[in-house]
Structure formats: C-alpha cells, structure tokens
Amino acid sequence: MKKQLSTLIVFSLSVITSTAQTKADSLRADSIYKSMELQGVEIVKQKSLVKSDIDKITYDIESDPDSKSNTVLEMLRKVPMVTVDGEDNIQVNGSSSFKVYVNNKPNQMMSNNPKEVLKSMPATSIKKIEVIINPGPKYDAEGVGGILNIITYSQGIEGYTATFGGNVSNRGVGGSAYATVKSGKLTMSANYNYSYDDAPRSSSGGSRKTIGNIGESSSDTDNEGWSKSRSHFQYGTLEASYEIDTLRLLTASFNLWTGGGSGNSESHVVATSPLNNSQLYRYHSFGNTENSYSSIDGSIDYQRSFSVAERLLTLSYRIETEPDKSDSYTNFRDMQAADGWDNFLLRLKNQRNDGNENTIEHTFQTDYTTPFAKIHTLETGLKYILRNNTSEDDRYEQTTYSSGDYTYDEEHSSHYRHHNDIFAAYIGYGLKIEKVSGRLGMRYEHTLQDVEYKLGRGDDFRKNFDDFVPSASIGYKLAQTSNLRLGYDMRIYRPGIWYLNPYIDDSSPTNISQGNSQLDSEKSHSLSLNYSNFTSKFNINLALRYGFTLNSIERVTKLMLDTQIPGLKAPTGKEVLYSTYENIGHVQGTNVTAYINWNATKNTRIYMNNRLGYTNMNDGGTLRNHGWNLYVYGGAQQTLPKDWRLSINIYAVTPRVTLQGRSNSYSGYSVGIQKSWLKKRLNLTLSATNFLKKYKYYRSSIEDSYFSSHNWSKSVVQRFNLSIRYRIGELKASVKKAERTIDNDDVKGGGNNSSNSE
C-alpha cells in the first residue's frame, strides 16, 4: 500500500512537473509568437493606401502622413485617376466634368467650385476619397470623369472619442474638432472645421493681337495689374443613426458649408492701332469684390433589412439650399482716347454689380436590392427631384464720377428663374461566379425645364429631355490580389444656371461675356480597361480609357463688333472679345493612368501617380485643337526612430489642350516632417512647399482666325505650415449609414469653366 502510494505521488509529481514544463514551453512559444506578431504589425505600418473595386478606387487619406499638414486639394494629387494642374484645376479620368459627393451624398457647391472649396478644407477632416470610375444605374447620369466621394467621418473603439486640431501657415490659420459618442442604440458624430486664407498679392497681365481683317475698328490691347484677396471657409456636420432593431435602421444628417471672401484689384489697359501702332485709348480700372456661398442640407433614410442577406429596402428624403451672393464695384480713372474712340470710353462708367443666386431642391427616392440563386443580384429604384434655381443680377451705374450715388440700371439687370423637375427609374443586374463578376444597368431620366425671365433680356421657354443611359462592366480576378476590369459608360450633362444665365457682363469693355439659355444636355460615351494588383509590398493600378462627346458645352471666345452682341447697352461699333457657351464640342480623348506604390522596406514607401493623355477636339467648323498632356506626381515617405516621419513630393504637368488654346505648365515640390507623442495621440507636423522660390509664373493662350490672346500671372507659391492634432477618448462605434441614400449628381456646374475634354 505504501509502495502504491509512493508510486502515485511520484506519478503526480511527474505530471505536475510535466504540466509546468508544458506551460513554460507554451508561454515561451506564446511569447515567441507574440514577438513574431508584433514584428508583423510593424510591417503593416506601410499598409496599402489604395483599394480597387469593380466600380471604384479608394485612397486612404487618413493613413497618409502628409494629410496632417496638407489640404484636400493637395492630397488629390496622390489619388489615382485624379490630376490637379498648376492653377488648381481638377480632372477625373482626364475630364474636368465630374461630381463631388460628401459621405455618399452629393454636394452641389463642391461640384460647382471644387478647387475653391477643396483647397480650403484641411485633409485631417478626411478619412478617404473614393473615385467612382464606373457609376452604375443607381447614380444619376451626370459626370463624364466620374464621381469623387469624400468620406469625412472617422472610426475608433467603444466609448467616445474627440480629436482637436489647429494649424498656422504663412497664409493663414485653421482649426478643427471631431467627436463621436454612443449611447445604447443611438450613435452621433459632429465635425467642425474653419480656415482663413490671406493670399499674398499677385500680378497678372496679357495681350491681344488682331489677325486677318484689320480695320479702323480694330485694336491691339495690353494690360497689366495686381490683385489681393482674403477668404474664409467653414463647415459643420452632424450625423446620427438609430438601430430600431436588428433589421431596421434610421439615419439622419445635417450639413452646413459656408465660405466667402473679399478682394481688391487694379489694372492698366492700353490699346494701340494694329495699322500704325498709334495709341487709341488707355485707362485704369479699380475693383473691389465681396462674395459668400453656402450649402445647407438635411436628409433622413430608413433602411429595412431582411432575413435574406444583402436584401435591402431604403426610403430617403433630402432637402438642400445653396444661397450665393456677390457684390462688386468697378471704378475707372485716367481715361484718354484718340479721335473716334471717345464713345468707346463713354461706356466706362463706374459700376456696382449685385448678384444673388440660390438653388432649393427636394428629393424623394426609394431603392430595393435583392440577391437570388446565390450568384445573381437585382437592384431597382425610383427618384423624383424638384429643383428651383434663381438668379438675380442687378447693375447700378454712377451718373457722375464726382458723386457717390449709383442709379439702378434696369435695362441691363437680369432676374431669372429656372424650374427643373427630374423623374428617374433604374434597373441593374449583377453576377458573380467564382473569379468573374459583372454588372449591367439601364437608367431612364425625364427632365422638365421651365425657364422664366422676370426682368431683362430673354424669352420664356419650356424644354423636355428623355434619356436612356446604359452601363456595363465585367471584372475578372486574375489572382488573390490582382483584378482586371472592362467597362462602358454613357453619361449626360444638364447645363447649370451658371451656363444658362443670359446676363451680359460688360464690366470690362474689351471682354464681354454671358450665358446661353438655349444649351442642350451633353451626351458622352467611354470605354475603359483597368488592371490592379495590391499586395502588402507592391501596389499598381493601370487604366486605359477612350471617350468621345459630340455636343459638349464649350466656352467660345470671338473677336467681333460690339454691335453684333444682342442686348449690349450703347454699342460703339468697335471690336471686342465676346465669350459665351455653345454645344459645339466634338471631343475625343485617350488617357493612360498609372499609380504605383512600393513599400521598399517596413519603414520606406515610394509612390507615383502619372497620367498621359491625348485630346482631339473641334467645333465641327473652323475651330480645332489637339495635343498631348502629361501629369507626373511622385514621392517618398520614411518612418524614422522614435515616431518621426519624413515625406518628400515632386509634381509636374504639361499644358492642357482647350478648344481655343492651351493652359499653363506647372511644377512643384514639398517636404514634410511629423513627430508623434503619447501613443500617437499627439501629432505635430511641419511642412514646406516650393520653399526655394517665392514666385511662379503661369501662362495661357486663346486663338482663332481673327485674334490671338496671351495671358500671364505671377503669384506667391511658397507655403510653410505648422499643424497640431490631439485625440482623447476611445470609441469603437461609428455612425451607421444606410446602404442606399440620395445622391443628386445630375447638374453640370459652372465652376469648372473649362473644356470638358476627355
């Protein structure tokens, strides 16, 4: 018995010893595993910034260190399929016609003035940017280049989180705040940003030469001047989601975007005779402007899920208003005129132009999507938009130069109403079989336009459009990380009020412009082939695109007698440059874009974003132009010990072709350094852009058979920026979004104001 007990004790001790050894080995192994796991986490530091899908490409702004000091416009230079030239003009897929969304909802103010708004937004407020290159039938049929969807909300861990930031530069200051909180089934987030920009004084000038038929009414002009501006921009968003139960979700949002500014300018104009180079006239003009713009919208979405995965029913309503206001004064001094040109200078009366524009729209929408037979998906929906555009441009003239009183000029004021109702229906089909995925869609849109002139030149009219818009795409998964996609799109454009408004702007007697109320919608077709391969080490996205438009809206400038301009007050029979918009563009374009990101080591990232394009365009008559355009952007980021990070970027763009000329070439560079403390809760960033040279020149030209015009500008491009961000709290919950919501992307805004070349 004692022997058995002794044996049992020895066996028990052996088991305990063995177990302890096993635990020790297990802990050691676990420690080794965790060590290996931590090493793996270090490698993930240089994670892929780009993700590709069958219909879009996503750039992770939040994970790019340069976002801590740059604006959204500057970050766009890195986004695949997007280019930004030296004058901050944006192109998507080689086209200046595109739409801008914010959190999956359209923002008409941004679409109308993308460069003005996006260069005011700090990139720290952005999580990611989606380039929707192949919009399906659920999207409104607007936007040749596609859609930029800016995602501003952020995510974190359970509880709450708040992030505060501020920045100061040699041009201005800015600040931001973001917070999210969750209480039961209710989650809310709020975001606020403010920026102020005091732009340094810039210079500009140009010349216009008469070609061909030179007569006594002809003149060559030279001008030179300067301008100074100040601007501010702020926006706030409030979003909430409430989970009624596991199958029903209610979401709501409120957004306020507002900005404005003021500026002063001076210009000196001299005109000479092309016959004998004698002086015909000269004058000084002084300008003072103030403007403001806003976009206020609210929306509510109800989403119903079902026991069948991915089956969804969504009901949505959205209301938006966009009031804009401008007030400008133009004064003339030191006027001299040769015999026969006195009447021309008599038109140079001191003026005040008071403009008010607004858009109010209501949108109702329902969407339904359902999978069937495992590999198929069907989506369908209805949409109705009620949109009222108003524009009131009032002119006042000073009767005598010694008096400060202005008299209302009713004859050349304009009050204009544009009612626009749109009904749309769509159906789409999706298929996914192992490595193959495809989409087919058809969208029908009926547009009713009712134009009414309350005051000023123009005849009331009604115009209806019926458009069937097909789309198709097919994708093939070549390997686990690589995909190939082929797509076709037809897109349309409805001219916005900026293009339609017939108000005559003759504040400059030598350059007169107005809109065209008779414009029709554009129709554009494109084919695209896209290859992407994204791994933890190497990312590449290549795209080939061909597109054509037969009736694109182009800004056309002609040298003509001012007596030929209908409605112009007190014409003198002299030649002036007259600009308007016409459906005359026959545009063909081919683009090749390449995005490459190489994580050379766990701490080193090297990247490039390039585009090569060829454009051929004409007006079906005498105007035609063609040429190549190259855009190059490249840089490197290096993670250093103790949470330091360095980035270097360079970029260049060759002149871009327009119907009557070419834009400016441009190049630049930037350097940034970032330091983090407190487990990366506190971040400090210092950056410098074009720091070796203070000024940069920009040049552009316009030509036709009767004149050539060359313009230049010189502005300060040096920029030094210091920013700081601090985050408190932890939060896992984020405001949930309905899978489908309202997105009105059907109107072409005037802010792009350039050729809609592919």
Side-chain angles (χ1 to χ4, degrees), residues 87-111:
E87 296 174 295
D88 296 334
N89 296 309
I90 306 167
Q91 286 191 318
V92 178
N93 261 330
S95 174
S96 57
S97 296
F98 59 91
K99 292 299 167 185
V100 181
Y101 283 23
V102 178
N103 295 336
N104 302 303
K105 298 177 181 180
N107 188 291
Q108 198 63 35
M109 182 187 69
M110 281 191 169
S111 295

Side-chain angles (χ1 to χ4, degrees), residues 35-45:
S35 178
M36 293 172 64
E37 190 178 42
L38 287 174
Q39 291 175 0
V41 171
E42 289 182 8
I43 293 174
V44 176
K45 273 186 180 178

Side-chain angles (χ1 to χ4, degrees), residues 106-110 112 293-296 318 320-324 357-361:
N107 188 291
Q108 198 63 35
M109 182 187 69
M110 281 191 169
N112 289 345
Y293 54 88
S294 301
S295 176
I296 307 168
R318 181 170 179 260
E320 181 177 13
T321 180
E322 297 170 8
D324 296 347
E357 295 183 352
N358 193 17
T359 295
I360 300 176
E361 67 179 31

Side-chain angles (χ1 to χ4, degrees), residues 32-326:
I32 294 172
Y33 173 76
K34 286 182 177 179
S35 178
M36 293 172 64
E37 190 178 42
L38 287 174
Q39 291 175 0
V41 171
E42 289 182 8
I43 293 174
V44 176
K45 273 186 180 178
Q46 299 292 349
K47 69 177 183 179
S48 172
L49 294 177
V50 179
K51 178 183 176 183
S52 179
D53 202 350
I54 190 171
D55 61 349
K56 66 184 177 183
I57 293 175
T58 303
Y59 190 88
D60 188 352
I61 297 291
E62 187 180 48
S63 298
D64 190 328
D66 287 347
S67 66
K68 306 303 182 291
S69 60
N70 286 345
T71 65
V72 175
L73 185 71
E74 291 169 323
M75 294 302 297
L76 275 179
R77 299 182 191 274
K78 294 187 174 188
V79 178
M81 317 296 290
V82 180
T83 58
V84 183
D85 68 15
E87 296 174 295
D88 296 334
N89 296 309
I90 306 167
Q91 286 191 318
V92 178
N93 261 330
S95 174
S96 57
S97 296
F98 59 91
K99 292 299 167 185
V100 181
Y101 283 23
V102 178
N103 295 336
N104 302 303
K105 298 177 181 180
N107 188 291
Q108 198 63 35
M109 182 187 69
M110 281 191 169
S111 295
N112 289 345
N113 306 281
K115 69 178 182 180
E116 299 300 330
V117 177
L118 296 181
K119 71 182 179 183
S120 300
M121 289 182 63
T124 51
S125 62
I126 303 300
K127 180 176 177 61
K128 59 185 178 181
I129 293 179
E130 297 175 344
V131 184
I132 303 176
I133 53 179
N134 187 226
K138 69 179 180 180
Y139 294 99
D140 293 325
E142 183 75 16
V144 165
I147 296 169
L148 286 182
N149 186 26
I150 298 174
I151 307 299
T152 62
Y153 66 87
S154 188
Q155 299 185 51
I157 335 181
E158 184 86 335
Y160 75 95
T161 185
T163 303
F164 304 93
N167 66 278
V168 60
S169 72
N170 60 320
R171 293 179 58 125
V173 296
S176 63
Y178 173 84
T180 298
V181 63
K182 184 177 186 333
S183 177
K185 295 182 177 182
L186 178 65
T187 306
M188 298 185 66
S189 70
N191 191 9
Y192 175 79
N193 278 262
Y194 173 83
S195 65
Y196 172 78
D197 182 65
D198 188 358
R201 176 168 161 164
S202 62
S203 303
S204 62
S207 63
R208 187 200 75 206
K209 303 296 180 184
T210 305
I211 301 173
N213 297 327
I214 299 175
E216 294 184 357
S217 62
S218 303
S219 64
D220 293 341
T221 62
D222 291 278
N223 68 88
E224 187 171 349
W226 60 266
S227 62
K228 179 76 173 68
S229 65
R230 296 154 296 279
S231 62
H232 59 87
F233 175 77
Q234 57 185 324
Y235 74 91
T237 63
L238 181 64
E239 296 181 320
S241 65
Y242 182 77
E243 296 179 83
I244 302 173
D245 53 38
T246 57
L247 297 178
R248 292 179 295 170
L249 175 68
L250 193 65
T251 66
S253 68
F254 173 81
N255 303 281
L256 171 64
W257 311 72
T258 179
S262 61
N264 303 90
S265 63
E266 179 182 346
S267 179
H268 181 214
V269 179
V270 177
T272 57
S273 170
L275 295 172
N276 54 25
N277 204 36
S278 62
Q279 180 175 302
L280 300 177
Y281 63 85
R282 65 187 303 149
Y283 65 86
H284 272 84
S285 66
F286 301 85
N288 180 277
T289 62
E290 292 187 5
N291 66 85
S292 62
Y293 54 88
S294 301
S295 176
I296 307 168
D297 71 81
S299 64
I300 186 168
D301 302 287
Y302 170 76
Q303 178 177 286
R304 176 71 163 88
S305 304
F306 299 88
S307 56
V308 177
E310 298 183 7
R311 178 177 293 171
L312 292 171
L313 172 66
T314 307
L315 304 175
S316 304
Y317 168 73
R318 181 170 179 260
I319 182 172
E320 181 177 13
T321 180
E322 297 170 8
D324 296 347
K325 185 176 182 179
S326 62

Side-chain angles (χ1 to χ4, degrees), residues 5-26:
L5 183 59
S6 176
T7 302
L8 181 60
I9 292 172
V10 171
F11 175 77
S12 299
L13 289 173
S14 175
V15 171
I16 292 171
T17 304
S18 175
T19 303
Q21 183 64 40
T22 301
K23 287 184 177 180
D25 291 342
S26 176

Side-chain angles (χ1 to χ4, degrees), residues 600-621:
T601 72
K602 65 180 182 180
N603 294 320
T604 305
R605 185 201 305 274
I606 300 172
Y607 47 86
M608 293 188 299
N609 185 25
N610 306 324
R611 180 177 73 87
L612 176 65
Y614 180 79
T615 302
N616 188 348
M617 55 198 317
N618 64 78
D619 68 342

Side-chain angles (χ1 to χ4, degrees), residues 682-752:
L682 177 64
N683 292 277
L684 186 69
T685 304
L686 177 65
S687 66
T689 301
N690 298 318
F691 50 86
L692 297 178
K693 193 174 183 180
K694 186 175 182 179
Y695 294 98
K696 192 171 285 289
Y697 282 87
Y698 306 90
R699 292 177 173 83
S700 61
S701 62
I702 300 176
E703 296 182 1
D704 77 351
S705 303
Y706 301 102
F707 78 95
S708 65
S709 177
H710 301 273
N711 298 290
W712 62 268
S713 64
K714 184 183 78 169
S715 59
V716 176
V717 293
Q718 273 185 347
R719 183 170 177 263
F720 302 95
N721 186 85
L722 175 66
S723 63
I724 185 170
R725 296 181 72 233
Y726 182 67
R727 176 174 57 86
I728 62 174
E730 298 289 350
L731 179 67
K732 205 183 260 186
S734 63
V735 175
K736 295 193 173 184
K737 306 285 184 179
E739 295 293 327
R740 296 295 176 88
T741 186
I742 290 173
D743 40 38
N744 295 346
D745 57 341
D746 59 289
V747 177
K748 177 171 183 174
N752 293 334

